[in-house]
Amino acid sequence: MSRNYKIHDQQGVYFITFTIVSWIDVFTRPLYKDLFLESVQYCQENKGFKVHAYCIMTNHVHFIASAENNKLSDIISDLKKFTSKKIISEIDLNIQESRKSWMMSIFRNAGAYNRNNEQYQFWQQHNHPIELYTGPVIQQKLYYIHNNPVVAGYVVDAENYPYSSAHDYAGGKGKLKIDLLY
C-alpha cells in the first residue's frame, strides 16, 4: 500500500517519527534508549546519517535528519530493522524486565499481521516523513521536538532532558553528534 508521505528528495532535510507498535512505552528504560542511540551513532559514522535534532520519548522518536552520501530512506530502513531486532532481543534476554511477556506478545502479534516481518514487529511501518523547506517550518518542528519532554512533564526546561538535542541547541554537548541547523 502506497503512503502519501515518502522521502522523495534523498538529500533533503526531513522531520521523521518512529513509533513503537501499540505505542508501548519501551523507552522508559535507559538501556533501550542507549541501544537505540548506539545504532544511530553507527549510522552517523558509517552511513552518512546526519542528525539535526532528535528526541526519544517513551514510545516514539522524532528526528530532523538528512543523508550525506546514501539514500535517507535506506538509512532509515536499516536503522529501524536493526534496532527492532536488537531491542526485542534485549527485552527477551533481560531477566529484570517485568513487562517482558506482555511486550513480547504484542510484538509477536503485530509481526503475525505484517508479511514484511519474520516473527516480531517493533516499529510501526510508517515514518510520516515531512520535507522541511523553509526556516519557519524548521523552527516549528525543532520547537515541537525539543518541547515534547516539557509537555509530557518530564522536565521544566527542554535542554535538561538528556535524550534530546535541545541541550546542543542551548550551547552544550548531548549524547549524539548534532549537525546544527543554525
Side-chain angles (χ1 to χ4, degrees), residues 2-16:
S2 178
R3 296 199 183 269
N4 290 334
Y5 296 95
K6 293 182 180 181
I7 296 175
H8 296 288
D9 178 2
Q10 295 295 327
Q11 304 305 310
V13 175
Y14 283 84
F15 171 78
I16 302 165

Side-chain angles (χ1 to χ4, degrees), residues 70-87:
N70 295 312
K71 287 183 165 185
L72 182 58
S73 57
D74 290 347
I75 295 170
I76 297 296
S77 177
D78 290 350
L79 179 62
K80 286 179 73 176
K81 184 175 182 178
F82 181 81
T83 56
S84 66
K85 289 179 180 181
K86 181 70 175 168
I87 294 169

